[in-house]
Amino acid sequence: MEFTLLGAVLLGAGTMWMTDRVLNRRQRRFDDLLGATLMGLLVGRLAAMVSGGSYPWSHPGLILLVRAGVHPGWASIGALGSLAWRFRSTSLPISLGPLAVPALMGLSGWELGCVVRSACGGVTVGSWEVPIGGLAGLAIGLAALIVYRLPLRTKAAAALVAAGLVRAAADPFRSALNHSVIWWYLAAVVIGVALAITWTSSAVRTSPE
Amino acid sequence: MKYFILLILLVVLTACAPPASPASPVAIPEVTAAEFLETLKTSDLPIVVNVWASWCLPCRAEAPLLREAAIQYAGAVTFLGVDIQDRPEDAAAFIGEFRLDFDHVADPNRAIPAALGGVGVPITYFVAPGGKIISTHVGIIDERTLVSGIDDLVRQP
């Protein structure tokens, strides 16, 4: 049995933890991020099982075998939903802002974990195999640097837009079976833009004259 | 309110049961390791060999991936299942439940994985035309590893 997938997970989680330690010195947010990630894994795993024809109630042990597949769209909804519930009594854009860059860096680390898995390659264009995992990881890392410079109130929405754009751009070049999730990523972009507009305009309305 | 939501979730999940699939009416043939190796050598197409058993939980988890891959790569790659240490009726039920519509052979004594190399179950072998094993994956296989292995197979000269 090989543990390269675990290695990629640890790389993603480690990147997220390190970024949180560097940026959020006053209040660590890694627990919130980790909890959201686990909730996302659970929801995404259940969705993958049901869509694949496995019945969670008859074989609940299969839920733990996340290696068999996690639906990224439903996982994202699960993760974001858990964060929204966690911060339901506070201002969402202000609460989610500090999580944005560590979350993007965690996603970047996970993508770059393709090196550990020897699975960075995607489809072949001409004679060149597109190293889609590496490119996506670098692009998300660059997006994290851009999001870091944004106002706190727009960080979370911008992170959602950035992650959705990179994943949508990378999806056609990934080695995958026939179930493109590009529409989920594009939906994330649209939702992120809508949130950015909403949160920014509400800040303008509530700011003192 | 939260109990109501939980009830709705339970109803939705129970309603999403897969359609009942009849068990394959034909018992899968039993072959020797020598016969199986000959099959690999004489194949014109690359082959993905998956060793499974109906009592193996990870095999249940990866079965939908293998079904999808077999459909997607039909005509380009041959999929072969090797059912080890299993009862024929359980094997037939497993194949029917997951609609694994590719050829399977029975190997009650685990002679085939012993000949190919590898311990445990499931095991997935990526075999080039002519019988050369390009790579072996022991344990449950994920989508990216499966597709990468198939891509490597297809690109073999």
Side-chain angles (χ1 to χ4, degrees):
Chain A
M1 184 175 294
E2 48 92 8
F3 295 95
T4 57
L5 186 63
L6 179 62
V9 170
L10 291 175
L11 187 61
T15 311
M16 192 164 68
W17 178 81
M18 186 64 69
T19 309
D20 176 62
R21 276 193 80 84
V22 170
L23 296 182
N24 299 326
R25 295 181 181 180
R26 289 185 185 175
Q27 184 180 8
R28 306 283 185 221
R29 311 305 290 271
F30 183 69
D31 288 348
D32 297 320
L33 288 165
L34 190 61
T37 301
L38 291 174
M39 181 56 72
L41 277 176
L42 173 62
V43 175
R45 179 71 190 122
L46 288 174
M49 284 178 66
V50 171
S51 65
S54 293
Y55 198 30
W57 299 111
S58 61
H59 294 89
L62 291 178
I63 297 173
L64 296 175
L65 297 175
V66 294
R67 187 178 194 124
V70 173
H71 192 287
W74 284 107
S76 301
I77 288 176
L80 294 173
S82 76
L83 285 175
W85 178 260
R86 163 76 176 85
F87 297 112
R88 63 192 182 279
S89 304
T90 65
S91 167
L92 264 185
I94 301 299
S95 300
L96 294 179
L99 277 66
V101 176
L104 279 180
M105 290 303 293
L107 188 59
S108 173
W110 160 250
E111 291 278 3
L112 292 173
C114 67
V115 175
V116 177
R117 303 178 63 192
S118 300
C120 286
V123 298
T124 302
V125 178
S127 59
W128 185 53
E129 186 182 26
V130 180
I132 196 60
L135 291 176
L138 291 174
I140 294 173
L142 181 62
L145 291 176
I146 296 173
V147 169
Y148 174 69
R149 305 294 296 231
L150 294 176
L152 180 66
R153 180 172 283 273
T154 59
K155 280 186 194 296
L160 187 60
V161 171
L165 278 176
V166 173
R167 299 281 291 197
D171 192 65
F173 297 97
R174 289 192 192 275
S175 298
L177 296 172
N178 268 340
H179 46 237
S180 173
V181 290
I182 192 170
W183 296 111
W184 287 85
Y185 300 139
L186 294 176
V189 173
V190 170
I191 292 170
V193 170
L195 286 174
I197 294 172
T198 304
W199 289 343
T200 304
S201 61
S202 68
V204 169
R205 281 199 301 273
T206 57
S207 63
E209 293 288 338
Chain B
M1 180 65 180
K2 60 183 177 182
Y3 293 114
F4 179 72
I5 293 172
L6 185 59
L7 179 62
I8 295 295
L9 189 63
L10 284 173
V11 169
V12 169
L13 281 175
T14 52
C16 293
S21 303
S24 171
V26 179
I28 54 177
E30 186 176 328
V31 300
T32 64
E35 291 168 341
F36 191 80
L37 289 176
E38 188 61 26
T39 301
L40 298 184
K41 284 179 187 171
T42 56
S43 173
D44 294 329
L45 290 178
I47 305 175
V48 174
V49 177
N50 179 252
V51 178
W52 60 272
S54 65
W55 43 262
C56 156
L57 201 60
C59 302
R60 299 187 62 86
E62 67 175 19
L65 285 175
L66 291 165
R67 180 187 70 232
E68 276 191 68
I71 293 170
Q72 181 167 327
Y73 290 94
V77 177
T78 299
F79 280 72
L80 273 178
V82 178
D83 175 37
I84 59 166
Q85 298 173 313
D86 223 342
R87 296 190 302 179
E89 56 272 23
D90 293 337
F94 185 92
I95 292 170
E97 179 182 354
F98 292 105
R99 290 168 282 153
L100 299 175
D101 295 327
F102 47 88
D103 291 336
H104 299 268
V105 298
D107 179 20
N109 300 315
R110 291 187 56 105
I112 294 173
L116 296 177
V119 179
V121 63
I123 310 174
T124 305
Y125 303 91
F126 298 89
V127 186
K132 180 183 176 186
I133 297 176
I134 303 303
S135 62
T136 302
H137 182 86
V138 178
I140 184 172
I141 197 165
D142 60 284
E143 178 180 347
R144 191 170 296 188
T145 303
L146 177 60
V147 176
S148 294
I150 294 173
D151 282 348
D152 287 344
L153 265 187
V154 172
R155 277 200 287 266
Q156 289 292 312

